[in-house]
Amino acid sequence: MKNKLNFFSLLSVSLIFLTLFKNWFIGQEIIGGDWPYFFNETLKEFTLFPPAWSVLHGNGLGGTITTYFLDQYLYSIVFVFTNTLHLSWIFTYKVFWFGLFIVLSIFSSTYLLKTIFSQAKIWQMLLTALIFTTNTYILMVVGGGQMGVALAYSIAPFVLASFIKVTDVILSSSRNIKYQISSIKYAIIAGLILAVQIMFDPRIAYVTMGSVALYYIVQYRWSSIGLFWVFVIPGAVAALLNAFWLLPLLALRNNPLVQLGSAYTSIGSVKFFSFADFSHALALLQPNWPENLFGKTYFLQPEFLALPILAFTALLFIKKLRVTSDGLKMINAQQIARNNITILYFVMLALVGVFLAKGTNPPGAGVFTWMFEHVPGFVIFRDPTKFYILIAISYSMLIPYVLNNFIDRVTVLSKKIVWLPVIAFIIYWIITIRPAVVGNLDGTFADRRVPEEYVQLKDWLVAQKTFFRAFWVPRQHRFTFVSQLHPSIEAGPLLGATDSASLVKAFSQSDASRHLEYLGIQYIIVPYDAYGEIFQEDRRYNPAKRAYIEQALDSIAWLKKVKTGEVTVYKTPVAKDHFWTKDGKGMVAWNMLSGDRYMVDVSLNAPGELMFSEAFRPGWQASTGGKSIPAQEAEYGLMSFALPKGTYTAEIEFTPRRIYLIGRVVSLMTMLIVGLYLVIQLIIKRKKPL
């Protein structure tokens, strides 16, 4: 009977997974949401390590990479598998992003279940994987193409389980220092797994470590010994492994939130992004389910309320302790006590997740606001739905536990109905996620193709070998071709325009042509909105908005229309090069070594000003003749260097790149030391007699 139940669960869960994720692997491309699209010409420019400064960031005017932690994973995957081993990018990202999410979610959630309930059955593990991997929250995340968040989510139970092992092993022998030292490997392994999660998304790692802290408080008394072994050692390992981006962040005080602006750090933004209310969070129902339209929330679907009822039913199965002098029963009593505390822990974790996931909505609306302003690091949670992960972890642990207890009880009545709880739950789960099952989800789940118009535009741009920028009005499309030679700029952010009328007004300014010339803008492009994502009104595609912009650009005398059709392209009168001399004095030739380092050949008959058409940032300097010349802010926020007369070669460098190099060395050395230590521990363990 047990084997049949396991087989039925495996078959059912496998069919659900195949139905949900089939388009990821049988489709030609995965296109949708925030998942970026790269042409092969762009991928060829990826190096093993991201540059400290990228011309493609900062709205095409250059900047530091705000998500350097995740970009390191992207760059290394592209460099190793696509550029070096020559595997197709489609195959690579399907394996190392989308496929990895599924594998990690299944392994991670089942590993946590076996860690806390060692007697968990196969069918319980399958249901745990089903709940954790296919709930509405994570389906909306992966459907929206937020794969960094998805990968950090997928490994979260593994991180929690590794810290639970550290806590149990170290603190259960708090008086045996020798045993603690020999068990340091558990702390190092926990730090290693945490480091991977931090690389995927530090916000999810922050939430996960909150669940670790709660477990520590619930299971044990707060002690300095426990803090050191459970938090300090793993935290140090994780920090050193992430030194490649943490060291520059700390040394340069380069707060990415400041670069992103008040939209990411203000109380108003938190209130706006508090889409979930208490009932949605309690029901593990993502507020945008199922359409996943930004800002559009839906009424609570009452069938989801069965989830918290089922999960919290675990409290009814807390057992009373009957400790006797019988050694065997004493062991059973200890196991019962552990299970009771574990159940209480996951119930508390779910309630904490529900309370925080609702953000600034009642009840206790002011608590999240206070935490956002006063709790260190909490400012990164302008989107409170990140706390759904705590609910997902809790329910995926509690519900299989409850169903197992139901089965134990119905078996006493009749073995013929032992399958009933599992069958009923799987049917119920299919009903709750039915839009996904029947293929009605959009985003990365939809079957899409790259419009031929954008392939032709890419080929046309690649054929031009001089530096220039493309100016997309009002903003670039997901199929925009970019390269270090041809960055792109979005009109809306550059001009501070919020609608079509303000964009048109900006083009009518007297210095508009000169502004675009200094920025090296050669072409102005009105995108073909193939999937109705740009020219929207009330969340629906409105072709009149595109026509309005094109008509306005047609009326500007200094613009020449060079391409018509679905994608419209205008040419500006003149565009400056990447490097050029002010007032046309002298000759300049340049070569890009990397995004943060250039070699520039200069010939000046008199001291002059070398213009660099990227956004000004302290740290850039020109080096020539043993002298260092810092960058100065020039017109339109660009950079310039005051160079002496003569013919020579100047090195233009973003000097903070050296700190990034140091950070990489620290990370690589830590990885080497940790790897050697674990290998040695494995050898020692194998040599020990049984």
Side-chain angles (χ1 to χ4, degrees):
M1 185 65 70
K2 180 176 68 174
N3 291 335
K4 290 183 179 180
L5 181 57
N6 289 336
F7 177 76
F8 169 77
S9 301
L10 176 61
L11 180 62
S12 301
V13 173
S14 298
L15 288 174
I16 293 173
F17 272 74
L18 288 173
T19 302
L20 292 181
F21 303 117
K22 65 179 185 301
N23 282 345
W24 284 0
F25 303 105
I26 65 174
Q28 183 178 359
E29 289 268 22
I30 298 178
I31 297 170
D34 295 332
W35 179 244
Y37 181 85
F38 297 111
F39 287 100
N40 289 330
E41 289 81 357
T42 303
L43 293 170
K44 290 177 181 178
E45 297 181 344
F46 280 57
T47 53
L48 182 59
F49 302 104
W53 179 278
S54 171
V55 66
L56 303 181
H57 286 70
N59 194 23
L61 291 172
T64 55
I65 302 175
T66 55
T67 56
Y68 197 91
F69 43 87
L70 184 60
D71 276 50
Q72 177 59 71
Y73 180 70
L74 170 65
Y75 271 66
S76 59
I77 290 297
V78 172
F79 179 80
V80 173
F81 294 99
T82 301
N83 293 344
T84 304
L85 299 179
H86 304 294
L87 299 176
S88 73
W89 171 234
I90 297 174
F91 173 82
T92 300
Y93 72 66
K94 286 185 176 183
V95 172
F96 292 101
W97 290 86
F98 292 85
L100 185 62
F101 157 74
I102 297 174
V103 172
L104 280 180
S105 294
I106 295 172
F107 166 77
S108 183
S109 57
T110 55
Y111 184 85
L112 176 59
L113 183 70
K114 289 293 289 185
T115 300
I116 60 174
F117 299 122
S118 59
Q119 302 300 317
K121 302 175 180 65
I122 293 176
W123 67 263
Q124 289 178 269
M125 298 168 65
L126 290 166
L127 292 191
T128 289
L130 178 67
I131 297 169
F132 185 76
T133 312
T134 66
N135 61 77
T136 62
Y137 167 70
I138 193 57
L139 288 179
M140 291 293 89
V141 170
V142 295
Q146 303 172 49
M147 295 310 298
V149 176
L151 288 174
Y153 169 96
S154 69
I155 203 174
F158 193 25
V159 175
L160 177 57
S162 67
F163 274 89
I164 287 176
K165 283 196 171 184
V166 176
T167 306
D168 292 348
V169 169
I170 299 297
L171 294 186
S172 62
S173 56
S174 59
R175 296 181 181 179
N176 190 338
I177 302 299
K178 182 178 179 180
Y179 182 72
Q180 287 183 1
I181 294 175
S182 67
S183 302
I184 192 176
K185 63 181 178 182
Y186 293 104
I188 291 177
I189 292 172
L192 181 62
I193 300 169
L194 175 62
V196 175
Q197 188 186 37
I198 291 174
M199 179 186 68
F200 288 144
D201 196 304
R203 296 169 299 178
I204 304 300
Y206 187 110
V207 174
T208 307
M209 288 308 296
S211 68
V212 171
L214 181 61
Y215 181 84
Y216 183 82
I217 294 171
V218 170
Q219 288 282 8
Y220 301 97
R221 291 178 297 176
W222 202 261
S223 67
S224 57
I225 295 176
L227 284 173
F228 179 77
W229 291 102
V230 179
F231 293 99
V232 176
I233 292 179
V237 171
L240 290 172
L241 287 171
N242 280 277
F244 66 90
W245 69 274
L246 283 176
L247 186 61
L249 185 74
L250 297 174
L252 304 175
R253 298 180 181 179
N254 185 20
N255 189 343
L257 292 176
V258 174
Q259 298 181 45
L260 293 172
S262 61
Y264 285 78
T265 58
S266 66
I267 294 298
S269 67
V270 178
K271 293 180 178 179
F272 176 77
F273 282 96
S274 294
F275 297 131
D277 56 26
F278 186 86
S279 58
H280 279 85
L282 183 66
L284 189 53
L285 174 59
Q286 214 276 356
N288 303 124
W289 175 265
E291 291 188 68
N292 207 14
L293 296 176
F294 179 76
K296 184 178 180 181
T297 58
Y298 296 81
F299 292 113
L300 177 69
Q301 300 174 36
E303 62 268 23
F304 280 87
L305 290 175
L307 281 176
I309 295 173
L310 190 58
F312 295 143
T313 301
L315 293 171
L316 300 178
F317 298 113
I318 290 181
K319 301 176 182 178
K320 294 182 180 180
L321 299 180
R322 291 187 176 89
V323 183
T324 69
S325 58
D326 188 314
L328 180 60
K329 288 192 175 181
M330 178 65 75
I331 295 174
N332 290 339
Q334 291 174 349
Q335 183 61 44
I336 290 171
R338 174 182 170 82
N339 285 351
N340 289 348
I341 294 175
T342 300
I343 292 169
L344 290 173
Y345 163 71
F346 280 107
V347 168
M348 292 173 61
L349 188 66
L351 293 175
V352 170
V354 169
F355 185 79
L356 294 177
K358 68 177 181 54
T360 59
N361 291 318
V367 176
F368 195 94
T369 302
W370 183 90
M371 295 179 71
F372 187 82
E373 293 180 319
H374 297 94
V375 175
F378 214 78
V379 70
I380 61 178
F381 296 107
R382 71 161 186 166
D383 176 11
T385 59
K386 297 293 184 294
F387 291 97
Y388 264 78
I389 185 175
L390 301 180
I391 313 168
I393 291 176
S394 299
Y395 288 6
S396 63
M397 298 299 119
L398 292 174
I399 291 175
Y401 174 81
V402 169
L403 292 176
N404 185 56
N405 278 273
F406 281 154
I407 288 177
D408 288 343
R409 281 154 176 75
V410 298
T411 303
V412 176
L413 300 176
S414 173
K415 291 185 178 181
K416 294 182 179 180
I417 59 173
V418 69
W419 291 23
L420 185 59
V422 176
I423 295 174
F425 179 79
I426 291 177
I427 294 174
Y428 162 75
W429 190 258
I430 292 174
I431 292 173
T432 59
I433 61 169
R434 57 190 179 277
V437 173
V438 298
N440 287 341
L441 296 186
D442 202 357
T444 63
F445 293 104
D447 185 15
R448 290 175 170 173
R449 298 289 185 272
V450 182
E452 183 61 28
E453 291 82 358
Y454 281 101
V455 177
Q456 295 173 0
L457 177 64
K458 179 264 298 181
D459 292 338
W460 182 67
L461 293 173
V462 168
Q464 303 180 57
K465 303 303 180 181
T466 58
F467 174 86
F468 61 79
R469 290 184 172 92
F471 192 64
W472 291 76
V473 184
R475 60 186 178 88
Q476 64 184 356
H477 197 270
R478 67 169 60 254
F479 301 117
T480 296
F481 168 72
V482 294
S483 69
Q484 294 176 337
L485 197 61
H486 303 317
S488 65
I489 298 180
E490 293 186 316
L494 178 71
L495 303 176
T498 57
D499 54 35
S500 300
S502 55
L503 275 172
V504 171
K505 183 179 179 181
F507 274 101
S508 65
Q509 300 297 316
S510 58
D511 69 335
S513 177
R514 187 167 182 265
H515 188 182
L516 299 186
E517 174 189 344
Y518 270 47
L519 299 187
I521 293 173
Q522 182 71 76
Y523 297 106
I524 296 175
I525 303 175
V526 183
Y528 164 41
D529 197 2
Y531 297 115
E533 299 171 312
I534 298 176
F535 300 104
Q536 290 188 345
E537 188 171 7
D538 295 331
R539 302 187 179 92
R540 292 185 178 182
Y541 175 65
N542 183 359
K545 299 187 72 173
R546 186 188 188 281
Y548 174 75
I549 289 178
E550 187 171 349
Q551 290 171 5
L553 294 177
D554 286 341
S555 65
I556 298 176
W558 47 270
L559 287 180
K560 178 182 178 181
K561 183 179 286 188
V562 294
K563 272 185 173 295
T564 58
E566 299 291 355
V567 179
T568 307
V569 181
Y570 300 84
K571 191 175 187 297
T572 60
V574 63
K576 297 292 188 183
D577 199 356
H578 210 172
F579 290 92
W580 47 281
T581 57
K582 192 73 174 291
D583 301 325
K585 297 178 180 178
M587 302 291 292
V588 174
W590 59 274
N591 180 41
M592 174 186 284
L593 303 180
S594 62
D596 46 27
R597 188 164 169 254
Y598 298 81
M599 301 302 292
V600 182
D601 295 325
V602 181
S603 180
L604 295 174
N605 296 324
E609 191 174 356
L610 178 68
M611 298 292 295
F612 182 25
S613 65
E614 292 195 18
F616 171 76
R617 177 73 179 275
W620 278 97
Q621 71 174 26
S623 300
T624 180
K627 296 182 179 180
S628 297
I629 305 167
Q632 299 176 342
E633 187 168 5
E635 290 179 85
Y636 303 115
L638 302 179
M639 283 185 275
S640 67
F641 302 91
L643 298 184
K645 72 174 183 178
T647 300
Y648 49 86
T649 298
E651 180 182 6
I652 310 295
E653 179 188 19
F654 184 54
T655 54
R657 67 186 292 271
R658 302 166 191 173
I659 299 177
Y660 282 83
L661 291 174
I662 295 172
R664 290 171 196 157
V665 171
V666 172
S667 295
L668 291 173
M669 289 300 296
T670 304
M671 188 182 301
L672 178 62
I673 293 171
V674 167
L676 287 174
Y677 174 82
L678 294 177
V679 170
I680 292 171
Q681 289 295 312
L682 182 61
I683 294 173
I684 293 174
K685 183 178 180 180
R686 287 187 174 182
K687 286 185 176 181
K688 285 183 178 180
L690 296 175

